[in-house]
Amino acid sequence: SLDIWDPFEGFSAVASVPPSARETTAFATARIDWKETPEAHIFKADLPGLKKEEVKVEVEDGNVLQISRERSKEHEEKNDKWHRVERSCGKFMRRFRLPENAKVDQVKAN
């Protein structure tokens, strides 16, 4: 027998997932490249729609790089008429355990 792949399989289940869970998944699966050069470990993240002030980069527990974001809900005026809200708000994070040779005291972001 042949198995037929259904590209829409499971979409009805996604619709029943609360928006906060979908937002967490969206950031948790943000595309992040990590390369090591002789001088540094370099992380590049695709975080469209985020301002620099909304992204926090820090080292925790000695050698865990944490990239997090916090976005506040848009200010809503009484006369505003929203047609669609797809951008997420709240706090989410990604964490990476750095190798022993990482110089965590020299971490910087730009």
Side-chain angles (χ1 to χ4, degrees):
S1 79
L2 294 174
D3 290 330
I4 298 176
W5 175 64
D6 180 2
F8 300 106
E9 181 178 23
F11 275 134
S12 61
V14 172
S16 66
V17 175
S20 60
R22 289 194 298 265
E23 293 161 6
T24 301
T25 303
F27 189 72
T29 59
R31 306 283 190 215
I32 297 179
D33 296 339
W34 176 8
K35 74 175 177 179
E36 181 178 353
T37 69
E39 297 81 30
H41 289 268
I42 300 170
F43 291 82
K44 290 187 179 185
D46 287 340
L47 304 170
L50 293 180
K51 296 176 185 165
K52 173 169 82 168
E53 306 80 43
E54 296 174 321
V55 179
K56 186 175 183 181
V57 177
E58 58 192 336
V59 177
E60 290 192 338
D61 302 326
N63 70 333
V64 176
L65 179 72
Q66 179 173 292
I67 303 170
S68 59
R69 68 159 255 216
E70 188 159 358
R71 178 184 280 159
S72 303
K73 191 173 184 176
E74 289 272 335
H75 177 70
E76 192 171 328
E77 297 291 332
K78 201 172 207 175
N79 296 328
D80 288 349
K81 181 179 178 183
W82 289 86
H83 293 279
R84 180 178 296 262
V85 177
E86 293 182 342
R87 296 182 317 135
S88 58
C89 60
K91 183 173 182 175
F92 311 102
M93 73 179 71
R94 293 280 310 267
R95 301 177 79 179
F96 301 90
R97 184 166 309 280
L98 298 172
E100 295 297 321
N101 68 343
K103 297 175 183 170
V104 295
D105 58 329
Q106 297 178 20
V107 169
K108 58 185 173 183
N110 57 25

